[in-house]
Amino acid sequence: QVYVVFSEELQCWCRALVESVWHQADGCQLGCFLVDYARYCSVASESIRVLLGAFAKIPYRAKKCRLHCTKPLTLHLDFCEDIAKLGPAKRWVTSAIQHFRKLLE
């Protein structure tokens, strides 16, 4: 369900999906994804409202997504045999992320 939360960072009310709730000594904090700004934020439980009427039907400006079955690769160098092979990596390197962003642009 989509709610309306007040974002301190943006200083405005935003539509959000609540993803997590944790309790603190002074009340509850909510981990939210802002569907129109593609940002994550945490807000106090006092800063959440129910989204009513036609506003609930407006399409989101941002969507969470990921590349299906795309995994990071790295270049494995074998100095003894003087060869290089592509192989799986544990995480994406910065240069690969920058190259992908250039392709998207």
XYZ file of all heavy atoms in Angstrom:
847
model
N 0.843 -1.178 0.000
C 0.000 0.000 0.000
C 0.886 1.238 0.000
O 1.905 1.294 0.678
C -0.917 -0.003 1.210
C -1.854 1.172 1.214
C -2.865 1.094 2.345
O -2.995 0.087 3.012
N -3.557 2.179 2.564
N 0.455 2.232 -0.721
C 1.193 3.489 -0.800
C 0.641 4.456 0.241
O -0.567 4.591 0.407
C 1.084 4.102 -2.214
C 1.839 5.408 -2.292
C 1.600 3.135 -3.253
N 1.547 5.117 0.945
C 1.198 6.112 1.959
C 1.789 7.457 1.550
O 2.508 7.563 0.566
C 1.766 5.717 3.325
C 1.168 4.453 3.882
C 1.771 3.221 3.682
C -0.012 4.506 4.619
C 1.214 2.066 4.197
C -0.573 3.352 5.140
C 0.044 2.133 4.924
O -0.507 0.993 5.431
N 1.491 8.464 2.336
C 2.108 9.776 2.173
C 2.957 10.019 3.410
O 2.485 9.866 4.532
C 1.049 10.889 2.023
C 1.710 12.248 1.890
C 0.162 10.622 0.826
N 4.244 10.357 3.202
C 5.149 10.632 4.322
C 5.798 11.995 4.112
O 5.930 12.461 2.988
C 6.243 9.541 4.459
C 5.622 8.195 4.742
C 7.122 9.485 3.233
N 6.187 12.603 5.215
C 6.891 13.881 5.117
C 8.389 13.616 5.118
O 8.935 13.067 6.068
C 6.531 14.822 6.264
C 7.124 16.186 6.097
C 6.561 17.082 5.213
C 8.266 16.557 6.781
C 7.110 18.344 5.024
C 8.830 17.805 6.615
C 8.247 18.701 5.727
N 9.054 14.004 4.042
C 10.495 13.826 3.914
C 11.205 15.073 4.432
O 11.015 16.170 3.891
C 10.863 13.583 2.446
O 12.252 13.666 2.270
N 12.011 14.890 5.461
C 12.793 16.015 6.006
C 13.818 16.499 4.987
O 14.084 17.697 4.886
C 13.496 15.586 7.297
C 12.556 15.312 8.443
C 11.897 16.570 8.980
O 12.482 17.666 8.836
O 10.795 16.458 9.528
N 14.406 15.583 4.245
C 15.422 15.938 3.254
C 14.844 16.803 2.135
O 15.426 17.805 1.740
C 16.021 14.656 2.660
C 17.069 14.906 1.607
C 17.569 13.619 0.977
O 17.227 12.528 1.448
O 18.298 13.728 -0.013
N 13.669 16.429 1.626
C 13.045 17.159 0.527
C 12.134 18.287 1.002
O 11.712 19.121 0.217
C 12.241 16.192 -0.349
C 13.045 15.074 -1.005
C 12.116 14.078 -1.670
C 14.028 15.633 -2.007
N 11.802 18.265 2.296
C 10.914 19.258 2.897
C 9.545 19.318 2.207
O 9.015 20.394 1.912
C 11.561 20.658 2.904
C 12.717 20.788 3.852
C 12.279 20.616 5.303
O 11.371 21.294 5.764
N 12.897 19.684 6.003
N 8.984 18.118 1.917
C 7.657 18.058 1.321
C 7.034 16.698 1.607
O 7.700 15.772 2.063
C 7.716 18.310 -0.182
S 8.613 17.059 -1.107
N 5.735 16.600 1.326
C 5.016 15.338 1.469
C 5.203 14.537 0.192
O 5.090 15.067 -0.912
C 3.541 15.592 1.729
C 3.299 16.146 3.104
C 3.268 17.460 3.462
C 3.095 15.393 4.293
N 3.058 17.577 4.813
C 2.933 16.320 5.350
C 3.022 14.041 4.583
C 2.708 15.924 6.666
C 2.796 13.638 5.887
C 2.641 14.579 6.916
N 5.487 13.233 0.337
C 5.790 12.368 -0.803
C 5.044 11.050 -0.677
O 4.816 10.562 0.423
C 7.281 12.047 -0.851
S 8.368 13.456 -0.773
N 4.724 10.459 -1.820
C 4.148 9.114 -1.800
C 5.265 8.114 -1.529
O 6.375 8.256 -2.052
C 3.491 8.793 -3.140
C 2.277 9.650 -3.404
C 1.564 9.263 -4.663
N 2.431 9.421 -5.829
C 2.163 8.934 -7.038
N 1.061 8.257 -7.253
N 2.984 9.131 -8.039
N 4.968 7.102 -0.724
C 6.022 6.163 -0.319
C 5.453 4.780 -0.042
O 4.296 4.630 0.353
C 6.727 6.681 0.926
N 6.307 3.785 -0.259
C 6.029 2.416 0.150
C 6.807 2.168 1.436
O 8.004 2.447 1.499
C 6.495 1.426 -0.920
C 5.752 1.466 -2.247
C 6.479 0.602 -3.265
C 4.340 0.982 -2.063
N 6.157 1.656 2.449
C 6.828 1.353 3.711
C 7.478 -0.019 3.580
O 6.817 -1.000 3.249
C 5.841 1.367 4.893
C 6.536 0.964 6.173
C 5.219 2.746 5.032
N 8.790 -0.080 3.801
C 9.527 -1.330 3.650
C 9.959 -1.945 4.965
O 10.169 -3.148 5.040
C 10.746 -1.103 2.751
C 10.346 -0.733 1.343
C 11.489 -0.826 0.380
O 12.650 -0.779 0.820
O 11.215 -0.932 -0.815
N 10.105 -1.135 5.994
C 10.507 -1.687 7.290
C 10.034 -0.771 8.406
O 9.785 0.413 8.201
C 12.031 -1.849 7.354
O 12.667 -0.600 7.201
N 9.886 -1.365 9.587
C 9.477 -0.631 10.783
C 10.383 -1.074 11.920
O 10.629 -2.268 12.091
C 8.006 -0.940 11.146
C 7.596 -0.210 12.418
C 7.072 -0.595 10.006
N 10.917 -0.124 12.676
C 11.689 -0.471 13.856
C 11.323 0.476 14.989
O 10.978 1.621 14.782
C 13.189 -0.515 13.583
C 13.825 0.766 13.157
C 14.414 1.691 13.956
C 13.944 1.281 11.824
N 14.887 2.741 13.205
C 14.616 2.515 11.901
C 13.548 0.828 10.580
C 14.881 3.289 10.776
C 13.821 1.593 9.468
C 14.485 2.805 9.580
N 11.371 -0.081 16.176
C 10.963 0.657 17.374
C 12.180 1.279 18.037
O 13.234 0.667 18.134
C 10.257 -0.280 18.358
C 9.020 -0.885 17.780
N 7.835 -0.201 17.705
C 8.783 -2.102 17.232
C 6.917 -0.967 17.160
N 7.475 -2.141 16.852
N 12.003 2.510 18.493
C 13.026 3.222 19.241
C 12.400 3.704 20.545
O 11.192 3.593 20.743
C 13.570 4.398 18.432
C 14.307 3.970 17.179
C 14.861 5.155 16.421
O 14.315 6.237 16.463
N 15.955 4.931 15.712
N 13.221 4.260 21.392
C 12.724 4.720 22.696
C 11.675 5.822 22.551
O 10.729 5.888 23.333
C 13.888 5.227 23.537
N 11.809 6.668 21.539
C 10.881 7.792 21.365
C 9.770 7.509 20.350
O 9.044 8.407 19.966
C 11.648 9.045 20.974
C 12.444 8.864 19.697
O 12.654 7.715 19.275
O 12.841 9.883 19.108
N 9.624 6.267 19.861
C 8.553 5.935 18.921
C 9.052 5.023 17.813
O 10.143 4.453 17.901
N 8.267 4.897 16.787
C 8.607 4.026 15.655
C 9.232 4.823 14.519
O 8.862 5.968 14.278
C 7.362 3.342 15.124
S 6.679 2.127 16.230
N 10.170 4.211 13.828
C 10.752 4.756 12.611
C 10.358 3.843 11.462
O 10.306 2.622 11.614
C 12.274 4.818 12.702
C 12.806 5.919 13.582
C 12.633 7.287 12.970
O 11.881 8.092 13.484
N 13.306 7.554 11.875
N 10.092 4.420 10.314
C 9.685 3.669 9.139
C 10.721 3.840 8.036
O 11.136 4.955 7.734
C 8.330 4.172 8.631
C 7.216 4.242 9.661
C 6.053 5.048 9.129
C 6.775 2.858 10.038
N 11.139 2.740 7.443
C 12.013 2.785 6.277
C 11.147 2.806 5.036
O 10.346 1.899 4.814
N 11.253 3.854 4.236
C 10.342 4.059 3.105
C 11.098 4.221 1.785
O 12.227 4.708 1.765
C 9.504 5.314 3.326
S 8.492 5.257 4.791
N 10.434 3.823 0.698
C 10.919 4.083 -0.659
C 9.997 5.118 -1.267
O 8.790 4.900 -1.393
C 10.904 2.804 -1.500
C 11.300 3.032 -2.933
C 12.616 3.296 -3.263
C 10.357 2.989 -3.946
C 12.992 3.511 -4.579
C 10.716 3.200 -5.266
C 12.041 3.456 -5.582
N 10.539 6.280 -1.629
C 9.747 7.361 -2.213
C 9.533 7.056 -3.690
O 10.472 7.080 -4.488
C 10.454 8.704 -2.037
C 10.827 9.075 -0.594
C 11.524 10.416 -0.558
C 9.608 9.061 0.304
N 8.285 6.761 -4.066
C 8.002 6.258 -5.412
C 8.101 7.314 -6.502
O 8.168 6.975 -7.681
C 6.616 5.570 -5.471
C 6.584 4.360 -4.569
C 5.502 6.535 -5.125
N 8.117 8.565 -6.150
C 8.252 9.620 -7.158
C 9.662 10.193 -7.232
O 9.971 10.977 -8.125
C 7.264 10.751 -6.877
C 5.831 10.308 -7.104
O 5.593 9.597 -8.091
O 4.964 10.653 -6.284
N 10.529 9.819 -6.309
C 11.891 10.349 -6.281
C 12.961 9.263 -6.329
O 14.144 9.563 -6.384
C 12.107 11.201 -5.023
C 11.243 12.438 -5.007
C 10.014 12.439 -4.354
C 11.641 13.591 -5.669
C 9.209 13.567 -4.357
C 10.845 14.720 -5.676
C 9.629 14.701 -5.017
O 8.841 15.820 -5.026
N 12.554 7.998 -6.270
C 13.483 6.856 -6.288
C 14.540 6.989 -5.196
O 15.719 6.765 -5.418
C 14.128 6.692 -7.650
N 14.117 7.366 -4.010
C 15.017 7.517 -2.869
C 14.485 6.716 -1.696
O 13.288 6.489 -1.571
C 15.099 8.974 -2.420
C 15.778 9.873 -3.378
C 15.894 11.242 -2.771
N 16.521 12.156 -3.715
C 16.791 13.399 -3.458
N 16.491 13.909 -2.282
N 17.356 14.163 -4.357
N 15.404 6.337 -0.834
C 15.032 5.686 0.420
C 15.195 6.699 1.533
O 16.104 7.537 1.504
C 15.928 4.478 0.683
C 15.679 3.333 -0.270
C 16.410 3.211 -1.438
C 14.706 2.380 0.017
C 16.175 2.166 -2.314
C 14.468 1.334 -0.847
C 15.202 1.231 -2.014
O 14.973 0.203 -2.873
N 14.314 6.634 2.514
C 14.432 7.540 3.655
C 13.809 6.866 4.871
O 13.098 5.869 4.754
C 13.756 8.880 3.374
S 11.972 8.807 3.284
N 14.089 7.412 6.015
C 13.428 6.955 7.235
C 12.649 8.135 7.802
O 13.120 9.275 7.787
C 14.439 6.417 8.243
O 15.319 7.434 8.636
N 11.446 7.840 8.272
C 10.577 8.878 8.818
C 9.982 8.395 10.127
O 9.864 7.196 10.374
C 9.438 9.265 7.838
C 9.985 9.876 6.582
C 8.568 8.077 7.518
N 9.596 9.333 10.955
C 8.933 9.009 12.220
C 7.499 8.587 11.939
O 6.897 8.989 10.940
C 8.953 10.217 13.146
N 6.949 7.773 12.799
C 5.581 7.278 12.597
C 4.544 8.403 12.618
O 3.458 8.247 12.070
C 5.238 6.218 13.641
O 5.374 6.747 14.932
N 4.875 9.540 13.219
C 3.953 10.680 13.224
C 3.885 11.358 11.860
O 2.996 12.161 11.609
C 4.382 11.722 14.268
C 4.369 11.230 15.692
C 5.653 10.512 16.071
O 6.715 10.820 15.510
O 5.570 9.611 16.923
N 4.826 11.057 10.973
C 4.911 11.730 9.674
C 4.346 10.885 8.541
O 4.758 11.028 7.397
C 6.370 12.074 9.354
O 6.888 12.946 10.318
N 3.407 10.014 8.829
C 2.818 9.170 7.793
C 1.306 9.366 7.774
O 0.683 9.540 8.816
C 3.186 7.686 8.000
C 2.712 6.847 6.828
C 2.661 7.164 9.308
C 3.263 5.444 6.818
N 0.754 9.397 6.552
C -0.687 9.554 6.368
C -1.155 8.556 5.317
O -0.396 8.102 4.481
C -1.042 10.969 5.879
C -0.513 12.111 6.735
C -1.270 12.227 8.045
N -0.861 13.381 8.796
C 0.101 13.406 9.710
N 0.784 12.329 9.974
N 0.392 14.516 10.362
N -2.443 8.264 5.330
C -3.044 7.384 4.331
C -3.281 8.192 3.064
O -3.741 9.334 3.115
C -4.375 6.798 4.854
C -5.060 5.969 3.787
C -4.129 5.970 6.099
N -2.967 7.604 1.928
C -3.157 8.257 0.626
C -4.595 8.045 0.185
O -5.078 6.914 0.118
C -2.185 7.660 -0.389
C -2.176 8.273 -1.776
C -1.793 9.740 -1.718
C -1.221 7.521 -2.668
N -5.305 9.111 -0.117
C -6.722 9.023 -0.443
C -7.024 9.479 -1.869
O -6.288 10.260 -2.455
C -7.541 9.893 0.518
C -7.462 9.538 1.996
C -8.217 10.563 2.814
C -8.017 8.149 2.238
N -8.119 8.982 -2.391
C -8.710 9.488 -3.618
C -7.897 9.288 -4.878
O -7.205 8.287 -5.055
N -8.001 10.264 -5.753
C -7.388 10.194 -7.087
C -5.869 10.169 -7.030
O -5.230 9.681 -7.968
C -7.858 11.371 -7.928
N -5.289 10.666 -5.969
C -3.821 10.672 -5.857
C -3.254 9.253 -5.825
O -2.135 9.030 -6.248
C -3.371 11.442 -4.625
C -3.672 12.911 -4.704
C -4.576 13.487 -3.846
C -3.052 13.706 -5.653
C -4.866 14.831 -3.932
C -3.327 15.052 -5.740
C -4.244 15.619 -4.876
N -4.020 8.310 -5.326
C -3.556 6.929 -5.260
C -3.476 6.295 -6.650
O -2.765 5.317 -6.844
C -4.481 6.114 -4.369
N -4.191 6.848 -7.613
C -4.236 6.267 -8.962
C -3.196 6.849 -9.919
O -3.035 6.353 -11.026
C -5.634 6.443 -9.538
C -6.678 5.698 -8.727
C -8.060 5.948 -9.245
C -9.070 5.259 -8.328
N -10.435 5.612 -8.648
N -2.509 7.891 -9.523
C -1.482 8.494 -10.384
C -0.299 7.538 -10.471
O 0.180 7.042 -9.459
C -1.021 9.857 -9.815
C -2.195 10.829 -9.780
C 0.116 10.429 -10.656
C -1.885 12.113 -9.058
N 0.211 7.251 -11.686
C 1.357 6.329 -11.816
C 2.602 6.874 -11.124
O 2.810 8.082 -11.045
C 1.593 6.241 -13.321
C 0.411 6.849 -13.965
C -0.262 7.729 -12.971
N 3.423 5.953 -10.626
C 4.679 6.348 -9.980
C 5.638 6.901 -11.018
O 5.644 6.473 -12.165
C 5.356 5.158 -9.307
C 4.507 4.394 -8.335
C 4.745 3.055 -8.106
C 3.477 4.997 -7.645
C 3.988 2.331 -7.201
C 2.707 4.285 -6.746
C 2.968 2.954 -6.529
O 2.216 2.245 -5.647
N 6.483 7.826 -10.610
C 7.512 8.349 -11.500
C 8.766 7.495 -11.453
O 9.598 7.553 -12.344
C 7.849 9.791 -11.102
C 6.696 10.735 -11.385
C 7.003 12.148 -10.970
N 8.202 12.638 -11.614
C 8.899 13.674 -11.186
N 8.515 14.329 -10.122
N 9.973 14.057 -11.812
N 8.931 6.702 -10.428
C 10.126 5.860 -10.279
C 9.686 4.443 -9.960
O 8.672 4.230 -9.308
C 11.007 6.394 -9.163
N 10.469 3.490 -10.427
C 10.201 2.090 -10.133
C 11.483 1.417 -9.734
O 12.545 1.708 -10.276
C 9.620 1.378 -11.343
C 8.260 1.885 -11.715
C 7.660 1.070 -12.813
C 6.306 1.658 -13.142
N 5.458 0.789 -13.843
N 11.381 0.509 -8.769
C 12.539 -0.281 -8.386
C 12.688 -1.396 -9.410
O 11.716 -2.029 -9.792
C 12.365 -0.870 -7.001
C 12.380 0.154 -5.905
C 12.426 -0.491 -4.553
C 11.128 -1.169 -4.238
N 11.123 -1.789 -2.916
N 13.887 -1.601 -9.870
C 14.110 -2.663 -10.842
C 15.546 -3.151 -10.736
O 16.382 -2.542 -10.104
C 13.813 -2.188 -12.253
S 14.844 -0.835 -12.802
N 15.785 -4.269 -11.386
C 17.141 -4.793 -11.457
C 17.260 -5.546 -12.768
O 16.272 -5.939 -13.364
C 17.470 -5.675 -10.268
C 16.718 -6.989 -10.246
C 17.172 -7.843 -9.122
N 16.343 -7.497 -7.971
C 16.534 -7.969 -6.779
N 17.505 -8.784 -6.533
N 15.753 -7.640 -5.791
N 18.459 -5.755 -13.214
C 18.696 -6.464 -14.459
C 18.545 -7.960 -14.212
O 19.197 -8.519 -13.338
C 20.091 -6.142 -14.994
C 20.312 -4.674 -15.334
C 21.757 -4.452 -15.708
C 19.404 -4.246 -16.456
N 17.711 -8.601 -14.999
C 17.422 -10.022 -14.815
C 18.605 -10.873 -15.272
O 19.091 -10.731 -16.392
C 16.170 -10.388 -15.607
C 15.792 -11.830 -15.474
N 15.345 -12.348 -14.288
C 15.819 -12.843 -16.354
C 15.093 -13.636 -14.457
N 15.376 -13.963 -15.706
N 19.078 -11.732 -14.403
C 20.152 -12.704 -14.696
C 21.457 -12.042 -15.154
O 22.238 -12.646 -15.878
C 19.694 -13.719 -15.735
S 18.392 -14.783 -15.126
N 21.683 -10.809 -14.778
C 22.932 -10.139 -15.119
C 23.829 -10.163 -13.898
O 23.460 -9.659 -12.839
C 22.673 -8.683 -15.555
O 21.778 -8.703 -16.661
C 23.951 -7.997 -15.954
N 24.990 -10.755 -14.056
C 25.910 -10.907 -12.935
C 27.245 -10.251 -13.281
O 27.634 -10.212 -14.450
C 26.097 -12.382 -12.610
C 24.791 -13.008 -12.182
C 24.957 -14.423 -11.786
C 23.574 -14.918 -11.351
N 23.504 -16.299 -11.144
N 27.948 -9.746 -12.292
C 29.229 -9.089 -12.568
C 30.291 -10.088 -13.029
O 30.328 -11.231 -12.602
C 29.604 -8.455 -11.235
C 28.878 -9.248 -10.216
C 27.617 -9.731 -10.877
N 31.136 -9.611 -13.927
C 32.273 -10.388 -14.412
C 33.546 -9.624 -14.125
O 33.541 -8.412 -13.973
C 32.163 -10.639 -15.919
C 30.996 -11.475 -16.405
C 30.980 -11.501 -17.926
C 31.077 -12.882 -15.861
N 34.638 -10.343 -14.082
C 35.934 -9.712 -13.912
C 36.933 -10.436 -14.795
O 36.686 -11.542 -15.261
C 36.382 -9.729 -12.436
O 37.553 -8.928 -12.309
C 36.676 -11.129 -11.959
N 38.033 -9.808 -15.042
C 39.082 -10.378 -15.875
C 40.073 -11.107 -14.970
O 40.670 -10.517 -14.077
C 39.786 -9.263 -16.650
C 40.683 -9.679 -17.790
C 39.904 -10.438 -18.849
C 41.340 -8.472 -18.411
N 40.225 -12.407 -15.174
C 41.176 -13.216 -14.416
C 42.454 -13.363 -15.241
O 42.417 -13.852 -16.372
C 40.600 -14.601 -14.104
C 39.409 -14.555 -13.206
N 39.506 -14.360 -11.852
C 38.088 -14.662 -13.468
C 38.311 -14.362 -11.315
N 37.422 -14.543 -12.277
N 43.560 -12.929 -14.700
C 44.843 -12.992 -15.398
C 45.662 -14.168 -14.887
O 45.798 -14.362 -13.688
C 45.632 -11.700 -15.183
C 44.941 -10.412 -15.635
C 45.764 -9.212 -15.220
C 44.726 -10.423 -17.137
N 46.181 -14.943 -15.816
C 47.062 -16.058 -15.486
C 48.438 -15.706 -16.059
O 48.664 -15.814 -17.262
C 46.531 -17.361 -16.067
C 47.335 -18.563 -15.594
O 48.424 -18.363 -15.016
O 46.860 -19.689 -15.801
N 49.332 -15.246 -15.194
C 50.641 -14.797 -15.648
C 51.533 -15.964 -16.082
O 52.410 -15.789 -16.924
C 51.334 -13.980 -14.555
C 50.647 -12.675 -14.289
C 49.928 -12.468 -13.119
C 50.711 -11.647 -15.208
C 49.293 -11.276 -12.878
C 50.070 -10.436 -14.974
C 49.359 -10.245 -13.803
N 51.308 -17.146 -15.527
C 52.123 -18.308 -15.902
C 51.860 -18.714 -17.347
O 52.784 -19.028 -18.099
C 51.854 -19.482 -14.968
S 52.324 -19.140 -13.266
N 50.577 -18.753 -17.732
C 50.223 -19.166 -19.093
C 50.043 -17.975 -20.026
O 49.733 -18.147 -21.203
C 48.957 -20.012 -19.059
C 49.146 -21.321 -18.304
C 47.892 -22.172 -18.338
O 47.072 -22.006 -19.265
O 47.743 -23.004 -17.442
N 50.159 -16.753 -19.497
C 50.040 -15.528 -20.275
C 48.691 -15.433 -20.994
O 48.615 -15.158 -22.193
C 51.204 -15.416 -21.270
C 51.372 -13.984 -21.760
O 51.000 -13.052 -21.023
O 51.856 -13.803 -22.897
N 47.611 -15.689 -20.235
C 46.260 -15.580 -20.787
C 45.373 -14.801 -19.824
O 45.681 -14.646 -18.641
C 45.629 -16.969 -21.058
C 45.568 -17.798 -19.770
C 46.337 -17.713 -22.156
C 44.790 -19.087 -19.910
N 44.251 -14.313 -20.358
C 43.245 -13.608 -19.564
C 41.882 -14.191 -19.905
O 41.577 -14.431 -21.073
C 43.285 -12.126 -19.868
N 41.076 -14.437 -18.893
C 39.744 -14.994 -19.091
C 38.738 -14.196 -18.276
O 39.052 -13.716 -17.188
C 39.685 -16.446 -18.609
C 40.535 -17.408 -19.378
C 40.371 -18.799 -18.780
C 41.322 -19.765 -19.441
N 41.246 -21.102 -18.826
N 37.524 -14.081 -18.817
C 36.432 -13.482 -18.058
C 35.848 -14.532 -17.136
O 35.647 -15.682 -17.527
C 35.339 -12.968 -18.990
C 35.605 -11.640 -19.677
C 34.460 -11.299 -20.615
C 35.777 -10.533 -18.660
N 35.577 -14.129 -15.911
C 35.002 -15.043 -14.938
C 34.099 -14.306 -13.974
O 34.046 -13.072 -13.970
N 33.354 -15.026 -13.152
C 32.419 -14.388 -12.212
C 33.144 -13.563 -11.158
O 34.257 -13.874 -10.759
C 31.675 -15.566 -11.579
C 32.566 -16.738 -11.792
C 33.364 -16.477 -13.030
N 32.478 -12.492 -10.736
C 33.010 -11.620 -9.689
C 31.996 -11.551 -8.553
O 30.815 -11.845 -8.734
C 33.286 -10.228 -10.237
N 32.450 -11.138 -7.378
C 31.560 -11.028 -6.224
C 30.725 -9.754 -6.269
O 29.611 -9.717 -5.779
C 32.363 -11.074 -4.930
C 32.995 -12.415 -4.684
C 33.721 -12.444 -3.371
C 34.366 -13.815 -3.173
N 35.126 -13.885 -1.946
N 31.263 -8.684 -6.842
C 30.516 -7.423 -6.898
C 30.923 -6.640 -8.138
O 31.948 -6.925 -8.759
C 30.720 -6.593 -5.638
C 32.119 -6.137 -5.405
C 32.253 -5.386 -4.079
N 33.398 -4.514 -4.097
C 33.387 -3.254 -4.496
N 32.273 -2.694 -4.860
N 34.480 -2.526 -4.506
N 30.123 -5.651 -8.490
C 30.405 -4.818 -9.654
C 31.545 -3.850 -9.338
O 31.587 -3.261 -8.260
C 29.164 -4.017 -10.029
C 28.072 -4.850 -10.601
C 27.003 -5.346 -9.926
C 27.959 -5.308 -11.940
N 26.226 -6.081 -10.772
C 26.777 -6.075 -12.019
C 28.719 -5.152 -13.088
C 26.351 -6.673 -13.193
C 28.289 -5.749 -14.252
C 27.124 -6.503 -14.299
N 32.440 -3.682 -10.284
C 33.517 -2.706 -10.124
C 33.020 -1.356 -10.632
O 32.094 -1.269 -11.440
C 34.807 -3.130 -10.865
C 35.390 -4.387 -10.255
C 34.546 -3.334 -12.336
N 33.642 -0.288 -10.184
C 33.221 1.065 -10.516
C 33.254 1.319 -12.017
O 32.349 1.935 -12.576
C 34.105 2.082 -9.784
O 34.087 1.785 -8.386
C 33.614 3.493 -9.998
N 34.278 0.843 -12.696
C 34.384 1.093 -14.137
C 33.241 0.426 -14.901
O 32.732 0.985 -15.875
C 35.730 0.604 -14.666
O 35.874 -0.776 -14.445
N 32.789 -0.747 -14.478
C 31.672 -1.421 -15.134
C 30.368 -0.656 -14.919
O 29.548 -0.532 -15.825
C 31.533 -2.846 -14.620
N 30.186 -0.118 -13.715
C 28.989 0.669 -13.425
C 28.967 1.932 -14.272
O 27.945 2.296 -14.855
C 28.921 1.018 -11.921
C 28.750 -0.258 -11.102
C 27.804 2.003 -11.625
C 28.952 -0.074 -9.616
N 30.104 2.616 -14.395
C 30.195 3.826 -15.210
C 29.936 3.510 -16.683
O 29.229 4.250 -17.372
C 31.555 4.481 -15.039
C 31.743 5.099 -13.679
C 33.179 5.574 -13.475
O 34.070 5.302 -14.268
N 33.391 6.297 -12.378
N 30.472 2.409 -17.180
C 30.254 2.007 -18.572
C 28.774 1.724 -18.820
O 28.210 2.159 -19.831
C 31.098 0.768 -18.904
C 30.887 0.258 -20.284
N 31.301 0.951 -21.394
C 30.281 -0.869 -20.730
C 30.969 0.257 -22.470
N 30.354 -0.857 -22.091
N 28.116 1.049 -17.895
C 26.691 0.750 -18.042
C 25.870 2.034 -18.046
O 24.935 2.178 -18.843
C 26.240 -0.192 -16.930
C 24.807 -0.568 -17.044
C 24.383 -1.449 -18.027
C 23.870 -0.054 -16.171
C 23.060 -1.802 -18.148
C 22.537 -0.404 -16.279
C 22.130 -1.283 -17.267
N 26.195 2.980 -17.195
C 25.470 4.252 -17.176
C 25.636 5.013 -18.480
O 24.691 5.622 -18.977
C 25.936 5.101 -15.992
C 25.413 4.599 -14.676
C 25.800 5.489 -13.540
N 25.256 4.968 -12.294
C 25.748 5.232 -11.109
N 26.791 6.018 -10.983
N 25.190 4.721 -10.030
N 26.830 4.966 -19.066
C 27.050 5.616 -20.374
C 26.216 4.946 -21.453
O 25.684 5.620 -22.335
C 28.529 5.586 -20.741
C 29.372 6.544 -19.962
C 30.821 6.459 -20.363
C 31.680 7.319 -19.471
N 33.098 7.188 -19.781
N 26.089 3.622 -21.397
C 25.265 2.915 -22.371
C 23.792 3.319 -22.244
O 23.088 3.444 -23.246
C 25.394 1.407 -22.200
C 26.725 0.782 -22.596
C 26.753 -0.690 -22.224
C 26.980 0.965 -24.080
N 23.332 3.520 -21.017
C 21.952 3.925 -20.803
C 21.678 5.322 -21.315
O 20.587 5.603 -21.810
C 21.584 3.856 -19.323
C 21.426 2.460 -18.741
C 21.175 2.538 -17.236
C 20.315 1.704 -19.427
N 22.669 6.213 -21.193
C 22.479 7.582 -21.668
C 22.399 7.616 -23.176
O 21.733 8.348 -23.799
C 23.622 8.470 -21.176
C 23.587 8.702 -19.694
C 24.807 9.461 -19.188
O 25.707 9.781 -19.998
O 24.878 9.724 -18.001
